Amino acid sequence: MKQTKLNNDLKNLNFRFNVLSVIVYIIGVIILIRLFNLQIINGQQYREDSNTRLSRESIIEAARGSILDRSGNALVSTDMSFSLEMYKTKVEDEQLNASILLMTTTLENNGDGYIDEFPISIEPFEYHFESEETLTKWKNKYKIPEAASAEEAFYIMRDKYKIQTDDIRDIRRILAIRYTINTKGYSTTKSIEIANEISRQSAVQLQERSEELTGVNIVIEPIRKYHVGSMASHILGYMGRISDRDEEELEKRGDIYEYQPSDKIGKTGIEKVFEEYLRGEDGKKQIDMSVDGTITGEYTSQEAIGGADVVLTIDSNLQKITENALVANIQKIKSGGFSETHNAKGGAVVVTNVKTGEILAMASYPDYEPSLFYNGISNEKYAEYNNNSLHPLNNRSIQSLYAPGSTFKMITAIAALETGVTNTSERINDNGRYPAAHRPACWYFNDYGKGHGYLNVSGAIEKSCNYFFYEVSNRMGIDNLEKYARYFGLGQKTGIELYSEASGTVANRTITESKGTSWMVGDTLVA
């Protein structure tokens, strides 16, 4: 009985093994047939397809988040823009030149420009070199006789690139792009930008005729738009191409994003402070092209993720009013509108909600245009900003230090009341000059030859009486005055979400004595 069962088990095992062997053989035969089909029957066709097909990966740049005011009005946003790029393709000069001519004429017909650094101009109706400075070096590079005129050099370059048309303007259009390709270089994987921020009309027309264009690709990319011009420029900040210094800062901050050398990054203001939030995450696109540059297919392998919006406490309407009022008052001071003429050149204003501390407006004059920095500010304009003695790129509201003047009397009054050196009822007689130290005078005495008379603390604040505050400062001493000034945050940064804030200085005994000088009563009076 046991022997019969063992024999049956062996038979079942052999059957299963045989079935498995047959399945393996069948799969092997299928694979061999498939390989034979790929390599022998259709091998030549696949090799030809492989040799005439190019594939590359392209970055889909993420849209940067907007910067909004407290009501949701866009101060800075991102619009989509079209640009043209070219890749190297395996085509003859005739086909490449025809493609370039179609592209450039389409752009010109729609009022769009393109990169043009060819040094010979044909306008107005004559040939001439754009610059004589490096002409000899340029001629040597392109093997043009040194004595050749602009016209002769023009046609030598035409022959070099095998341009067959006789239309002088068409020749010039083709030369502009061929010259750029030659000087800047491109490859099947590395493109060269031909035009940026072109119109939608040009993009559509070129797309419709893409089969006639070799290696030309239309790129949709985000572009930063500053909707309010120079308004709030010191708050919003500006963007520019990433630098080595930016990379070092990002590394210190532990930024998780990977930046490419061509990426733009927030340099100042909110653009910099909230870079990690405003910046999105780039996507990737695969593009297939034939050897002649015709795009045969494309697909998105990784979607781009747009950046987050940042909402400010700023009220854009109030910001505009504040900036206009600041400029108007500076002009009024210069023209003597406040009784005396002063050479006022700059200033700052901050408007806050006293209940919450929110900044509703922050103005600094002179200002600048953030949009000029986005695509690379010109050397001339940057020099104009950088060499200006008024430093328009600096935010005077937080970066510059100023004596507080009579606004400090509020702190002196509170310190005097809290330390008990005076009270709300005591009346101090301002007779003009304070009888101590260098005998400083009240402003009223200087203007009218007499003091304010008897005033309590409320009256002293109302009249801005120097004499009253000389007296209470002298009573409490510099140490108490310094202590209460620091209670109010003077001498330290506010913590505002903007870079480069200055902390300021509070007058105190330590600073003076560190210079080898004793603190005197007169120091307290002018502190």
Side-chain angles (χ1 to χ4, degrees):
M1 186 71 179
K2 290 183 179 179
Q3 184 64 39
T4 303
K5 186 176 184 305
L6 179 62
N7 291 335
N8 290 334
D9 290 342
L10 289 173
K11 288 180 180 179
N12 289 334
L13 182 62
N14 288 333
F15 177 76
R16 292 174 184 174
F17 178 78
N18 290 334
V19 171
L20 181 61
S21 298
V22 171
I23 292 173
V24 171
Y25 286 137
I26 292 173
I27 293 173
V29 170
I30 292 173
I31 292 175
L32 288 173
I33 294 173
R34 182 62 177 162
L35 289 173
F36 182 81
N37 180 62
L38 291 173
Q39 297 185 15
I40 305 302
I41 298 178
N42 296 312
Q44 181 64 29
Q45 179 64 40
Y46 289 140
R47 278 191 291 273
E48 290 178 0
D49 289 346
S50 177
N51 291 332
T52 57
R53 182 177 299 165
L54 302 173
S55 181
R56 65 175 183 272
E57 190 175 73
S58 178
I59 298 296
I60 304 174
E61 191 174 345
R64 192 174 178 86
S66 299
I67 303 177
L68 313 173
D69 79 345
R70 65 188 300 113
S71 299
N73 298 310
L75 304 176
V76 187
S77 66
T78 298
D79 290 344
M80 302 314 293
S81 172
F82 299 98
S83 64
L84 285 182
E85 60 183 13
M86 282 189 71
Y87 288 87
K88 188 174 183 179
T89 56
K90 297 178 182 179
V91 295
E92 299 297 328
D93 284 310
E94 182 179 356
Q95 187 175 350
L96 176 58
N97 292 337
S99 175
I100 291 173
L101 183 58
L102 172 59
M103 177 178 60
T104 52
T105 52
T106 300
L107 292 172
E108 287 184 11
N109 289 340
N110 293 314
D112 294 320
Y114 50 86
I115 190 168
D116 183 356
E117 297 177 356
F118 187 62
I120 301 176
S121 175
I122 59 172
E123 301 292 348
F125 308 109
E126 62 179 9
Y127 302 87
H128 61 87
F129 293 107
E130 296 287 355
S131 173
E132 302 287 340
E133 295 180 5
T134 58
L135 188 56
T136 300
K137 184 178 179 180
W138 180 79
K139 286 182 175 180
N140 289 335
K141 179 179 178 180
Y142 290 96
K143 299 179 181 179
I144 297 173
E146 188 172 349
S149 65
E151 182 176 0
E152 291 169 337
F154 181 87
Y155 285 100
I156 290 173
M157 294 297 286
R158 179 201 63 175
D159 296 338
K160 171 181 172 62
Y161 295 121
K162 300 179 181 179
I163 301 173
Q164 297 180 1
T165 179
D166 293 325
D167 188 304
I168 185 174
R169 288 182 173 79
D170 286 347
I171 296 172
R172 181 64 180 73
R173 293 182 181 103
I174 298 170
L175 282 176
I177 306 302
R178 292 298 301 266
Y179 181 74
T180 297
I181 291 172
N182 188 71
T183 54
K184 295 191 175 182
Y186 70 156
S187 68
T188 56
T189 56
K190 179 186 176 183
S191 66
I192 182 172
E193 187 176 76
I194 301 300
N196 57 53
E197 295 186 50
I198 66 173
S199 64
R200 181 178 293 274
Q201 187 173 3
S202 288
V204 170
Q205 291 176 1
L206 291 171
Q207 185 65 45
E208 289 175 347
R209 304 184 68 176
S210 59
E211 292 184 359
E212 302 173 58
L213 301 171
T214 61
V216 177
N217 185 36
I218 299 172
V219 180
I220 302 175
E221 57 185 3
I223 185 170
R224 206 63 169 157
K225 291 291 185 181
Y226 294 85
H227 299 287
V228 289
S230 63
M231 192 183 90
S233 55
H234 297 95
I235 300 172
L236 302 174
Y238 61 83
M239 295 183 66
R241 200 170 297 280
I242 191 169
S243 65
D244 293 339
R245 183 177 177 182
D246 294 324
E247 290 181 348
E248 290 175 4
E249 287 189 16
L250 290 168
E251 187 175 347
K252 290 179 181 178
R253 284 156 43 188
D255 199 295
I256 62 173
Y257 294 109
E258 293 183 2
Y259 288 82
Q260 303 299 322
S262 60
D263 284 347
K264 296 183 177 68
I265 190 173
K267 297 280 189 176
T268 62
I270 295 298
E271 292 279 29
K272 179 176 182 178
V273 175
F274 292 98
E275 169 69 20
E276 64 176 302
Y277 300 101
L278 290 166
R279 174 183 169 82
E281 187 175 341
D282 291 343
K284 294 179 181 178
K285 180 172 64 174
Q286 194 75 21
I287 300 175
D288 294 331
M289 295 178 63
S290 62
V291 70
D292 64 358
T294 303
I295 295 176
T296 57
E298 59 180 73
Y299 63 91
T300 300
S301 57
Q302 179 180 325
E303 293 286 352
I305 301 174
D309 294 342
V310 172
V311 181
L312 308 181
T313 61
I314 296 297
D315 183 306
S316 57
N317 291 326
L318 183 58
Q319 178 73 25
K320 182 177 181 180
I321 292 169
T322 302
E323 292 190 14
N324 290 340
L326 174 60
V327 175
N329 276 277
I330 289 173
Q331 297 300 323
K332 191 173 181 179
I333 292 170
K334 291 177 69 172
S335 62
F338 293 102
S339 74
E340 293 185 12
T341 301
H342 297 279
N343 189 24
K345 296 180 179 179
V349 178
V350 177
V351 182
T352 63
N353 183 332
V354 295
K355 294 181 179 180
T356 64
E358 291 177 313
I359 295 179
L360 305 177
M362 177 185 287
S364 179
Y365 181 83
D367 53 21
Y368 65 92
E369 289 280 350
S371 59
L372 297 178
F373 291 84
Y374 187 73
N375 285 319
I377 189 170
S378 67
N379 292 331
E380 294 77 14
K381 192 63 181 181
Y382 184 74
E384 179 184 327
Y385 283 146
N386 201 42
N387 298 332
N388 189 325
S389 61
L390 298 178
H391 306 293
L393 297 178
N394 287 355
N395 186 349
R396 292 169 176 264
S397 300
I398 63 170
Q399 292 179 264
S400 300
L401 302 180
Y402 305 97
S406 290
T407 58
F408 191 78
K409 289 173 181 175
M410 303 293 291
I411 292 176
T412 306
I414 292 171
L417 292 170
E418 287 291 317
T419 56
V421 299
T422 189
N423 54 51
T424 57
S425 300
E426 181 187 14
R427 292 160 62 84
I428 296 173
N429 182 24
D430 169 18
N431 55 24
R433 284 192 175 275
Y434 187 70
H438 55 287
R439 301 186 73 239
C442 181
W443 69 268
Y444 196 75
F445 178 81
N446 290 333
D447 287 353
Y448 301 102
K450 60 181 180 178
H452 285 104
Y454 285 92
L455 296 171
N456 64 6
V457 66
S458 297
I461 292 173
E462 179 186 351
K463 304 293 185 182
S464 189
C465 178
N466 294 357
Y467 188 104
F468 182 96
F469 292 103
Y470 291 151
E471 173 61 20
V472 296
S473 295
N474 193 17
R475 290 181 186 180
M476 73 177 120
I478 186 58
D479 295 334
N480 280 321
L481 190 56
E482 178 197 356
K483 180 172 67 174
Y484 279 89
R486 295 195 183 280
Y487 284 163
F488 280 91
L490 274 67
Q492 56 188 299
K493 295 181 180 180
T494 64
I496 189 173
E497 292 173 307
L498 291 173
Y499 283 106
S500 303
E501 181 187 8
S503 58
T505 302
V506 176
N508 62 79
R509 191 186 306 275
T510 303
I511 294 178
T512 301
E513 292 179 350
S514 67
K515 299 176 182 178
T517 305
S518 298
W519 185 269
M520 308 295 288
V521 172
D523 296 322
T524 303
L525 301 184
V526 298

